[in-house]
Amino acid sequence: MQFFQPILDNFFKFDFLIVIIAIGAAFLYYKCLESCKQLFNILIPRGNVALGKENQKSMNRHYKLYFDSDGEQEILQKRQKSNSLYVLFTNVCAIFPLMGLLGTVISLIPMVGELDTSLFFMALTSTFWGIVFAIIFKALNGYLQARVEENNELVQTYLLRKDAIVERHARRNDEDRSDEI
């Protein structure tokens, strides 16, 4: 209890600001993860052509929707959104150690003129919270980074396949026209 008491006592001073930023980081993590899931579900739809005609029709509708220019634009916008959220999340996460150090410095400055152990504890609690949230969000970042990178690779594959399909259709149309002549 002696360890946690200074942490609780200083919570509503500078430490509260660190917790507010942590709540914001958690919100950004959630929004980015949801954005990644939406994009992934478009790029890798659930279904199997071998499961029957209805499932095949559903898959055909999905691919027809996302192989036109509006569908491509939607995919690119979703990728942009998830990448932007991810960059914002990583930048907010980088703030935690700095906030902890700032709290330490703010608490130690008045201590220069006097030796007050309560100020020293207050300095350490800010460092404690900054490090705790840095560790938590760094761990979450690893998972989110993998999702964002996977989606970026899937979008690149989608764009390459779409270009190949469009080119193949253009060649077929040219061949059909030449056969008519």
Side-chain angles (χ1 to χ4, degrees):
M1 187 64 186
Q2 194 174 20
F3 173 74
F4 291 107
Q5 192 60 45
I7 293 171
L8 294 175
D9 290 344
N10 293 321
F11 182 75
F12 289 106
K13 294 177 183 162
F14 187 79
D15 298 350
F16 188 68
L17 181 60
I18 296 172
V19 173
I20 295 293
I21 294 171
I23 291 168
F27 177 75
L28 286 172
Y29 177 82
Y30 171 77
K31 294 302 277 182
C32 188
L33 187 60
E34 286 301 308
S35 179
C36 286
K37 286 178 183 178
Q38 289 173 4
L39 181 57
F40 184 82
N41 289 336
I42 290 171
L43 296 169
I44 308 290
R46 298 202 196 294
N48 189 334
V49 175
L51 292 177
K53 287 189 183 254
E54 192 58 42
N55 205 338
Q56 184 178 3
K57 287 178 185 176
S58 172
M59 294 292 288
N60 287 341
R61 281 191 304 270
H62 176 85
Y63 284 115
K64 184 176 182 178
L65 173 67
Y66 289 106
F67 272 117
D68 71 13
S69 60
D70 291 338
E72 180 180 345
Q73 199 59 31
E74 182 181 344
I75 287 172
L76 294 175
Q77 287 172 347
K78 286 187 181 295
R79 178 177 69 169
Q80 170 65 29
K81 179 182 177 184
S82 67
N83 286 346
S84 296
L85 285 168
Y86 177 69
V87 168
L88 187 58
F89 171 75
T90 56
N91 286 328
V92 168
C93 289
I95 291 173
F96 288 114
L98 299 173
M99 292 297 290
L101 290 174
L102 179 62
T104 302
V105 170
I106 289 171
S107 298
L108 289 177
I109 288 173
M111 202 171 110
V112 172
E114 57 187 77
L115 187 58
D116 186 356
T117 57
S118 67
L119 290 175
F120 186 71
F121 278 119
M122 190 167 66
L124 292 179
T125 60
S126 297
T127 306
F128 170 80
W129 285 114
I131 291 171
V132 165
F133 286 122
I135 291 168
I136 290 170
F137 286 109
K138 184 64 177 167
L140 292 173
N141 180 46
Y143 176 73
L144 193 57
Q145 181 180 8
R147 295 294 300 258
V148 168
E149 288 176 1
E150 179 182 27
N151 280 346
N152 284 332
E153 289 174 15
L154 288 171
V155 168
Q156 286 304 112
T157 302
Y158 158 80
L159 293 172
L160 290 172
R161 287 180 181 167
K162 182 179 185 249
D163 289 345
I165 289 170
V166 168
E167 187 178 313
R168 192 174 327 128
H169 283 297
R171 258 191 272 126
R172 277 192 200 148
N173 289 339
D174 289 344
E175 289 173 3
D176 290 345
R177 283 190 213 122
S178 66
D179 288 344
E180 291 174 2
I181 298 178

